[in-house]
Amino acid sequence: EEHKNSEDFKATTPIMKKIQADWKNIGHVPRKDSDKIWKKFKAACNHYFDRLHASRNEENKEENDAFEQKRELLDKLKNQELSGDRKKDLPVIKSYIEEWKKLGRVPQSKRYIEGKFNRALDQA
């Protein structure tokens, strides 16, 4: 219970997992105490891990937003009509690159969009 409100998720998560493993290894306790202790233990673990997941979802929200914006920019690049004049088209392509960089990081599982953007740049 002393760790359930910790804000240092990086340090506390391994501690909480070790406590859960230790709980399994300790074994059974008398039936009259079992339910009460289990409910208290489970409530503390659930409280901590619910907060951990909420924190991670909040962090990933920015990356998911960046992914959506990058996907829209990629579609815009693919539909961009270029003049064929290198001097006119190069600044347009560079503006796409700058905007892409400003949008930020995307989730690890969606990094494939970087390759798609690079291929679209090569085509342009």
Side-chain angles (χ1 to χ4, degrees), residues 18-75:
K18 182 178 180 337
I19 291 170
Q20 288 177 326
D22 290 348
W23 179 273
K24 288 180 185 178
N25 291 332
I26 289 173
H28 297 286
V29 295
R31 188 81 168 144
K32 66 178 183 169
D33 297 325
S34 179
D35 288 342
K36 181 175 65 172
I37 293 172
W38 169 246
K39 287 178 183 175
K40 196 172 181 182
F41 175 75
K42 187 176 178 186
C45 289
N46 287 345
H47 177 77
Y48 174 78
F49 285 106
D50 288 345
R51 289 180 50 252
L52 172 67
H53 294 131
S55 171
R56 286 186 178 162
N57 288 341
E58 188 61 35
E59 290 172 7
N60 290 341
K61 184 180 182 327
E62 285 181 25
E63 290 181 350
N64 285 327
D65 289 346
F67 173 77
E68 290 302 322
Q69 292 172 342
K70 284 187 173 189
R71 193 170 59 157
E72 290 171 10
L73 185 63
L74 178 59
D75 290 340

Side-chain angles (χ1 to χ4, degrees), residues 94-110:
K94 285 185 177 183
S95 71
Y96 277 100
I97 294 170
E98 289 304 313
E99 191 172 344
W100 186 269
K101 289 178 183 178
K102 288 178 187 175
L103 293 176
R105 295 172 39 113
V106 298
Q108 184 72 29
S109 62
K110 297 180 179 179

